Amino acid sequence: MIPAPPAILGGSPVFPKGSPAWPGHLPEVAEVLAESVASGTWGDYFGPNHATLCTELQEFHDVRHAVLYCSGTAAIEMALRGLNVGLGEEVVLSAYDFKGNFQDILTVGARPVLVDVEPENWSIDLAQLAEAVTEQTRAVIVTHLHGATLDMPAICRFAAEHNLAVIEDACQVPGARIAGRRAGTWGDVGVLSFGGSKLLSAGRGGALLTNRDDVVQRNRIYTQRGNEAYPLSELQAAALRPQLKALDERNRLRQETVDMLRREGLGTGRLAGLRPFQPRAGDESAWYKLGLLYESSAFAGLSAAEFAAAMRAEGVALFPGFDALQSIHSRRRFRAVNDLPVSAASRERVLVLHHPILLEGPSTAKPLLTAIEKIRISAAAVKERLVDASERS
Ligand SMILES: *Cc1c(COP(=O)(O)O)cnc(C)c1O
């Protein structure tokens, strides 16, 4: 059988309608927003939805405090400020992490210290933490990325031994359970994002989770300037409440799709060149992005970016992961424990599948693998076409 040509070579895309919209039209959100407007409380600084969302986030996570902010990035900054991290102090984080986390450390006057990732799931390499710690180290930011989960019990043990605070970035895995406990509740402070693409979306927004009264009190003094300086609005809070109710169910559906992708062979055999990130055994993850470890040699030398472009032509929202932090910041801005060789290859190795397609359910797994397989079979022709195109331009 002659395989169908990939869309990037003029064939028809496997998903002609492209990636599903997110958050798109969620009827339960339309309803709660209409109620808020009808009640006249939608313009309140601290309205009923704001207060209730705080309580619901506390109950969902079983923590004493949930504080709402204007973004996840602001919430990470407030985590650092709440822990009183400042001038001349050091904060350890992974060289493969969200850019804003690095910048938040600089924002409070502290110095980022980068450690590398382990090569399986690109999670922070815990063996390197010990090398990173000095007299100046105050905290570590650890981030569950692309569906992988971190060994939070080990991280918290290490931090306690070295008298470090832990900031747990759960922006990509809201609702996940790590060793039975919700992501974002292990560290001194946990952070969620409600950005426009996130699993809980208010277009913008974030939250800080903590059991520490002192963190909340310090942040109150910082953000209360006659009015709240980093606020989440009543309307945003209203939009989030029904999504929080639906989160476990939606996480379960996305998980079923990921399970089906694995069962149908993603990451093994002919598709060993595209290996999905794995949560730790016993953890229940959440999938904001499905991380995939890409092996160019399995696709006739197509670069990760070229492969992703070919997949997007098929209507699949696949993108390169983060740039390694050491590649986008001047060496003067950070300290590193070594040359960070694993994370340095992020552009060639990490791809991320955006989550909306996972919510379509397990039946979407087969067509998704068909798109991958089309490109794999015609990879040499795709490469040739891209080389030709770049020579012409
Ligand atoms: C989205 C995200 C954030 C925060 O993002 P905001 O857009 O500022 O809400 C922080 N960390 C990670 C890992 C993220 O994915």
Side-chain angles (χ1 to χ4, degrees):
M1 202 182 82
I2 299 167
I8 201 167
L9 296 180
S12 17
V14 174
F15 298 92
K17 291 197 216 123
S19 179
W22 180 263
H25 176 64
L26 300 176
E28 72 274 22
V29 171
E31 195 175 313
V32 70
L33 289 180
E35 272 169 28
S36 176
V37 172
S39 73
T41 56
W42 62 275
D44 291 2
Y45 284 117
F46 291 100
N49 284 294
H50 191 285
T52 312
L53 177 61
C54 288
T55 308
E56 286 167 350
L57 283 169
Q58 285 158 17
E59 284 168 0
F60 183 87
H61 290 96
D62 194 20
V63 289
R64 278 167 63 79
H65 306 282
V67 188
L68 306 177
Y69 291 114
C70 57
S71 70
T73 302
I76 294 274
E77 180 190 334
M78 294 317 298
L80 290 161
R81 291 196 187 282
L83 292 164
N84 212 12
V85 175
L87 219 56
E89 296 179 324
E90 292 191 334
V91 178
V92 180
L93 79 166
S94 168
Y96 185 79
D97 201 353
F98 182 67
K99 204 177 160 187
N101 293 356
F102 184 100
Q103 283 166 316
D104 280 337
I105 297 169
L106 296 177
T107 296
V108 302
R111 188 174 185 73
V113 177
L114 300 181
V115 304
D116 213 357
V117 292
E118 46 81 16
E120 285 302 302
N121 290 301
W122 284 59
S123 292
I124 189 166
D125 188 337
L126 300 190
Q128 295 186 14
L129 276 185
E131 297 168 48
V133 174
T134 67
E135 289 286 294
Q136 276 70 47
T137 315
R138 283 291 316 285
V140 44
I141 298 179
V142 292
T143 309
H144 307 284
L145 284 175
H146 314 340
T149 53
L150 302 175
D151 186 349
M152 290 312 299
I155 289 168
C156 291
R157 258 194 320 272
F158 175 86
E161 279 163 19
H162 294 82
N163 203 18
L164 308 177
V166 174
I167 298 172
E168 185 187 5
D169 179 340
C171 292
Q172 297 209 348
V173 295
R177 282 182 196 276
I178 290 148
R181 232 161 93 180
R182 295 281 189 189
T185 67
W186 283 88
D188 294 77
V189 183
V191 170
L192 303 175
S193 165
F194 307 134
S197 62
K198 294 281 152 75
L199 297 179
L200 295 171
S201 177
R204 300 272 181 193
L208 179 154
L209 309 170
T210 188
N211 287 315
R212 284 182 53 170
D213 300 343
D214 66 313
V215 166
V216 174
Q217 179 56 18
R218 210 171 277 118
N219 286 348
R220 224 176 255 142
I221 291 164
Y222 184 81
T223 60
Q224 272 293 330
R225 304 175 196 172
N227 198 356
E228 191 59 38
Y230 291 61
L232 190 89
S233 75
E234 173 67 4
L235 277 174
Q236 288 172 298
L240 287 163
R241 289 187 51 217
Q243 294 179 71
L244 181 62
K245 283 202 185 73
L247 181 63
D248 280 341
E249 189 50 42
R250 288 189 178 136
N251 276 347
R252 207 158 18 243
L253 187 52
R254 287 184 281 259
Q255 182 65 54
E256 279 176 29
T257 308
V258 172
D259 290 344
M260 185 60 87
L261 283 167
R262 281 187 209 285
R263 231 176 296 137
E264 294 286 338
L266 186 59
T268 59
R270 281 173 298 145
L271 296 181
L274 205 56
R275 202 165 51 67
F277 281 27
Q278 287 263 33
R280 292 173 55 80
D283 290 354
E284 289 170 42
S285 196
W287 302 94
Y288 163 62
K289 305 280 183 191
L290 169 58
L292 295 160
L293 211 55
Y294 181 76
E295 199 72 65
S296 162
S297 60
F299 297 90
L302 274 184
S303 72
E306 290 165 343
F307 178 82
M311 284 295 281
R312 290 198 297 279
E314 301 293 341
V316 177
L318 186 72
F319 296 92
F322 300 139
D323 284 319
L325 291 170
Q326 71 271 26
S327 73
I328 52 176
H329 291 284
S330 156
R331 283 266 157 188
R332 277 172 306 157
R333 296 235 176 240
F334 63 89
R335 192 163 68 74
V337 294
N338 57 42
D339 290 341
L340 313 168
V342 183
S343 55
S346 66
R347 278 278 142 180
E348 294 128 65
R349 297 305 314 279
V350 181
L351 291 172
V352 292
L353 177 69
H354 194 38
H355 64 87
I357 196 170
L358 301 176
L359 203 53
E360 305 277 289
S363 64
T364 202
K366 272 215 167 103
L368 193 52
L369 294 178
T370 302
I372 296 167
E373 190 60 1
K374 265 169 70 173
I375 296 164
R376 190 189 68 81
I377 291 168
S378 302
V382 173
K383 182 84 191 167
E384 216 168 286
R385 162 71 64 93
L386 292 170
V387 169
D388 282 355
S390 73
E391 278 168 1
R392 270 201 307 280
S393 66

